[in-house]
Amino acid sequence: MEQPVCLIANTADGGLEVTEEALEALRGMDQPPVVVVAIAGLYRTGKSYLMNKLAGKRTGFSLGSTIQSHTKGIWMWCLPHPRRAGHTLVLLDTEGLGDVEKGDAKNDTWIFALAVLLSSTLVYNSRGTIDQQAMDQLHYVTELTERIKVKVAGGGGRQEGADSAEFVRFFPAFVWAVRDFMLQLELDGREITEDEYLESALKLKPGSSEQTKLYNLPRECIRRFFPARKCFVFVPPTSRRKMSRLEELQEDELEPEFREQVARFCRHVWEMSQPKTIPGGHVVTGAMLGNLAVTYVDAIRSGAVPCVEIAVLALAQIENSAAVGEAVAVYKEQLGQRAALPTETVQELLELHAQCEREALRAFMARAFKDDDCRFQGELMRHLEEQKQELCRRNELASSERCTAALQELWDELDDRIVLGVYSVPGGYQCFLDDRQRMVERYRQVPAKGVKADEVLQEFLQSKEVAAQNILQMDEALTEKEKEMAAERAWAKAAERERQVLQQKEAELQQKLKDQERSYQENQQQLKEKLEDERKKLLEEKHKMLDQKLKELENLKKEGLQAKATRMEAEIQRLQQQNKELQNPPWIESALGSLGEAACLVLPGIFGKLFRRWS
Ligand SMILES: Nc1nc2c(ncn2[C@@H]2O[C@H](COP(=O)(O)OP(=O)(O)OP(=O)(O)O)[C@@H](O)[C@H]2O)c(=O)[nH]1
Ligand SMILES: [Mg+2]
């Protein structure tokens, strides 16, 4: 992307909408994972300027040099990630908050909530120092509990606290950028780091007066929702005189300390920002990011609160459907690479199918998620079964054509001799039988005839039986009785050949049914692996949450905030209980059951077996 584009625009009626241009750009990015860095903060505080630094460009996001707020809505710039090969860095520059001229606090809150929902790293930008005023300006954080829902409310309605406890599962890492910072980083005579500076500003006050509650609220929210925090301070980039044409200045015209601070900040963001994931750990691509934005903005427009669970389910529908398509494409591509039809045996063909199916399933598993009832995997099964039928048909056709051509060529010689009357002599029938036998032997030598070799031969000989009988009847060396016996022998031989062909067909049918069982097992195996993988990821996620909460508990105790510590302990206990349940979660068994049901519908070969197992 050469230039940033508007991702979310303000509409004339005061709402928000995702722009078609940005969606178009994102739709084209359905492969690489995205690392999404968003910046938010008060208007006119140098956000767009800092984002251009992250892009490694002097210009890009538009600045404006007056006191009037400049960036409107949310702008997006997608770039190859400077540190992570195969990843895209998506920068989101947002409309400045708190513009008195605009005076639409509601719009501000949504912009902030969207920045949180869409990013994997959120840079909060402010000017001066992290003082009470800066904290007050960050009231958007305290409002997130009313702006973001994690789960669709169940029967009795979930407690708000329980819902926001889950925020950490998908909230971005938090970086506070303090601009025009001109103080010494010192506390009680001791030099401190920027991070210590932030932590000291986030310290809570003991007590339960209204004033204390008000003081603590934004700090508590930041500590609860953003356990991974960093702070960077920046001196003014240049003298006041040059500030308005900052964009035009060369690097060496900037304050050296500022340059060094920017370099450190960029390095941190580039190296530490993780790819965007949704709860459950599934990595988001550009196309998915676009769909997420649409779901959230649609919710806001309809007057609802964006719900992460609903968005993830909507995303799963789109992605899983695409995963089926991608898997079928992988199957075809693999087949194209491997198949040389006709194969010698049906077994060989089934093995070929099995290999391609395995790769196709892998592609499906890599992309699909939350296919709890195996609806999409079942659909893929049906597609692949159809592909297999088609493959068998093509294989048989290729074989038939080759066999028929070979037989026709070999028969031509015999036909010439029939026309010349070579067999129309006494003893001609035996002579014909010998020649025909030689022809059959030569046919057997023809390589790569495929699965239809015997059947086509049987049908071919059958079609020439009238000619053979004519030669027999005209053979004057044979008595009527001998002719009768010879005809009977010919008939018995044909019947024997037919029986063999039928036997072969029956054996092939059994092989095909057995292959359906194998296919089901492959599906089961890969699903099991995926579910186990997901369980581990979930467990990891929960462990991370637990670690963060334990750390916060320790801090609360250190700060002597006993009541808060007790509440945190209860939260920790709840989480520990959830972790225990994750040892053997019921959804694995239920998903495998759904797979069985889906398989019965498309793979008749396994129906009987499963039915017996269930009854
Ligand atoms: N004092 C100071 N000015 C800056 C800094 N960075 C950028 N500016 C200048 O501040 C003005 C606003 O910069 P922007 O980057 O557009 O600020 P913004 O936060 O994106 O503004 P909005 O989009 O309106 O919210 C421009 O004239 C910049 O040159 C900084 O670190 N300190
Ligand atoms: Mg801006």
Side-chain angles (χ1 to χ4, degrees):
M1 222 184 235
E2 287 295 313
Q3 284 291 318
V5 296
C6 182
L7 172 66
I8 296 170
N10 299 312
T11 56
D13 59 356
L16 298 166
E17 76 181 356
V18 183
T19 70
E20 197 43 48
E21 187 187 7
L23 277 181
E24 194 61 41
L26 288 170
R27 263 185 223 121
M29 300 174 8
D30 72 339
Q31 278 304 324
V34 287
V35 175
V36 190
V37 181
I39 194 162
L42 222 58
Y43 75 118
R44 306 276 74 202
T45 48
K47 296 183 295 299
S48 300
Y49 178 72
L50 191 62
M51 285 310 249
N52 286 340
K53 297 282 177 202
L54 278 179
K57 305 272 167 60
R58 196 147 55 92
T59 57
F61 289 114
S62 165
L63 303 194
S65 54
T66 68
I67 50 158
Q68 277 185 312
S69 83
H70 190 75
T71 308
K72 297 291 171 206
I74 298 182
W75 284 67
M76 173 183 82
W77 201 355
C78 304
L79 304 149
H81 198 288
R83 298 290 153 92
R84 285 175 191 262
H87 286 63
T88 301
L89 177 64
V90 178
L91 299 174
L92 298 182
D93 184 22
T94 65
E95 178 167 332
L97 306 168
D99 175 12
V100 274
E101 215 174 282
K102 175 171 104 176
D104 185 354
K106 207 160 146 217
N107 177 278
D108 280 356
T109 324
W110 284 130
I111 295 273
F112 186 75
L114 284 168
V116 169
L117 282 168
L118 296 176
S119 65
S120 51
T121 291
L122 176 72
V123 180
Y124 181 71
N125 194 65
S126 74
R127 188 176 266 172
T129 52
I130 306 183
D131 53 13
Q132 190 52 38
Q133 196 192 351
M135 281 297 163
D136 290 343
Q137 280 160 355
L138 197 41
H139 60 89
Y140 304 99
V141 173
T142 66
E143 286 157 30
L144 286 175
T145 49
E146 290 138 45
R147 297 294 170 210
I148 295 173
K149 247 177 29 183
V150 182
K151 297 231 158 91
V152 188
R158 291 169 57 86
Q159 283 174 298
E160 197 178 80
D163 207 47
S164 63
E166 302 257 316
F167 278 0
V168 287
R169 287 181 67 194
F170 58 90
F171 264 27
F174 187 84
V175 178
W176 195 320
V178 189
R179 314 288 288 276
D180 292 357
F181 183 82
M182 292 190 281
L183 305 174
Q184 290 295 318
L185 277 173
E186 249 182 50
L187 193 68
D188 304 329
R190 182 176 70 90
E191 214 175 287
I192 55 167
T193 64
E194 293 151 304
D195 291 340
E196 285 171 325
Y197 173 54
L198 174 60
E199 292 312 308
S200 77
L202 291 177
K203 279 228 155 59
L204 304 179
K205 273 189 188 163
S208 56
S209 70
E210 276 312 304
Q211 211 183 355
T212 312
K213 272 189 195 157
L214 229 57
Y215 177 91
N216 284 343
L217 188 62
R219 293 171 172 80
E220 253 181 294
C221 286
I222 296 173
R223 285 164 62 150
R224 270 165 56 88
F225 304 160
F226 302 103
R229 298 182 287 267
K230 276 298 280 180
C231 178
F232 289 89
V233 301
F234 302 81
V235 298
T238 181
S239 65
R240 264 181 78 160
R241 207 166 32 82
K242 291 189 193 159
M243 206 68 87
S244 59
R245 31 177 217 97
L246 201 52
E247 259 183 315
E248 295 151 33
L249 301 186
Q250 295 299 324
E251 270 296 292
D252 57 10
E253 290 177 81
L254 298 175
E255 198 56 49
E257 191 177 354
F258 177 78
R259 275 160 55 195
E260 185 268 324
Q261 287 164 331
V262 167
R264 236 163 23 85
F265 165 79
C266 289
R267 212 164 39 235
H268 171 82
V269 173
W270 289 334
E271 285 167 13
M272 303 311 283
S273 296
Q274 299 299 311
K276 170 81 184 153
T277 56
I278 47 178
H282 200 80
V283 176
V284 171
T285 64
M288 287 164 79
L289 185 69
N291 289 325
L292 271 182
V294 169
T295 315
Y296 290 141
V297 168
D298 279 355
I300 294 170
R301 229 201 345 239
S302 73
V305 174
C307 172
V308 177
E309 190 180 22
I310 291 177
V312 169
L313 284 174
L315 204 56
Q317 300 287 311
I318 301 171
E319 278 301 296
N320 293 348
S321 170
V324 172
E326 192 182 313
V328 173
V330 166
Y331 177 89
K332 287 182 182 166
E333 190 208 315
Q334 289 283 322
L335 199 64
Q337 281 173 15
R338 296 165 198 239
L341 303 185
T343 60
E344 210 49 50
T345 60
V346 166
Q347 195 54 40
E348 207 176 295
L349 189 75
L350 292 176
E351 275 159 25
L352 187 73
H353 164 74
Q355 286 165 8
C356 301
E357 184 190 58
R358 187 171 305 135
E359 296 306 317
L361 261 173
R362 278 206 187 111
F364 174 79
M365 293 297 174
R367 184 154 182 186
F369 60 94
K370 279 218 145 294
D371 184 21
D372 295 346
D373 54 1
C374 292
R375 183 156 73 83
F376 290 94
Q377 197 178 344
E379 198 182 311
L380 177 61
M381 263 188 205
R382 185 172 56 76
H383 278 299
L384 293 184
E385 186 57 22
E386 279 167 12
Q387 289 290 327
K388 185 175 81 178
Q389 309 272 359
E390 174 62 21
L391 178 67
C392 287
R393 261 195 302 278
R394 270 172 44 216
N395 196 43
E396 286 173 5
L397 190 68
S399 170
S400 286
E401 280 171 354
R402 188 165 296 182
C403 294
T404 309
L407 279 170
Q408 196 57 53
E409 202 183 317
L410 292 167
W411 177 263
D412 279 351
E413 273 180 45
L414 255 78
D415 213 26
D416 285 347
R417 291 162 74 95
I418 294 174
V419 173
L420 286 172
V422 173
Y423 306 119
S424 311
V425 294
Y429 182 61
Q430 187 55 47
C431 196
F432 167 77
L433 286 186
D434 292 344
D435 282 356
R436 196 181 66 176
Q437 186 54 32
R438 260 193 295 283
M439 181 204 87
V440 169
E441 271 150 27
R442 278 170 67 194
Y443 172 73
R444 295 215 189 280
Q445 303 295 317
V446 175
K449 292 190 296 299
V451 294
K452 286 280 191 185
D454 292 340
E455 191 181 340
V456 172
L457 175 66
Q458 144 69 8
E459 279 167 7
F460 191 84
L461 293 179
Q462 204 55 37
S463 72
K464 302 296 180 196
E465 199 48 40
V466 178
Q469 288 306 310
N470 279 343
I471 294 170
L472 173 65
Q473 293 312 324
M474 285 188 326
D475 192 336
E476 285 166 7
L478 299 171
T479 64
E480 278 311 305
K481 184 82 192 145
E482 281 168 332
K483 283 181 187 172
E484 236 171 69
M485 277 164 62
E488 234 165 69
R489 265 201 305 279
W491 181 84
K493 244 186 164 170
E496 170 61 16
R497 279 198 306 266
E498 202 170 322
R499 199 184 57 75
Q500 277 174 3
V501 167
L502 281 176
Q503 217 172 23
Q504 188 191 344
K505 276 192 175 166
E506 175 59 26
E508 285 172 3
L509 190 66
Q510 288 306 323
Q511 281 172 345
K512 283 180 188 167
L513 290 180
K514 227 172 141 196
D515 184 73
Q516 293 193 342
E517 217 182 307
R518 178 211 54 75
S519 170
Y520 174 56
Q521 274 162 10
E522 180 74 46
N523 269 278
Q524 215 179 16
Q525 183 57 30
Q526 289 209 23
L527 178 61
K528 256 190 211 163
E529 278 167 24
K530 183 182 170 64
L531 293 173
E532 180 53 25
D533 210 46
E534 282 177 359
R535 187 186 73 85
K536 278 195 192 133
K537 264 199 203 140
L538 211 56
L539 203 61
E540 248 169 54
E541 213 176 274
K542 297 270 179 189
H543 275 308
K544 209 170 112 193
M545 270 168 85
L546 194 61
D547 286 346
Q548 287 162 346
K549 294 205 189 288
L550 285 168
K551 211 168 108 194
E552 182 63 8
L553 176 67
E554 209 178 299
N555 286 339
L556 291 172
K557 280 184 177 163
K558 248 193 248 160
E559 289 165 51
L561 300 157
Q562 197 43 52
K564 289 186 199 303
T566 310
R567 269 205 300 280
M568 182 56 75
E569 269 164 352
E571 225 174 85
I572 288 172
Q573 257 175 16
R574 206 169 43 223
L575 207 56
Q576 279 166 334
Q577 184 55 34
Q578 285 175 6
N579 283 1
K580 240 188 240 151
E581 283 160 17
L582 266 180
Q583 290 308 324
N584 195 9
W587 40 264
I588 291 194
E589 199 57 35
S590 122
L592 289 170
S594 299
L595 182 71
E597 282 166 32
C600 279
L601 295 178
V602 277
L603 306 175
I606 64 149
F607 180 75
K609 277 217 160 61
L610 276 185
F611 188 73
R612 272 198 298 282
R613 208 174 297 160
W614 286 338
S615 54

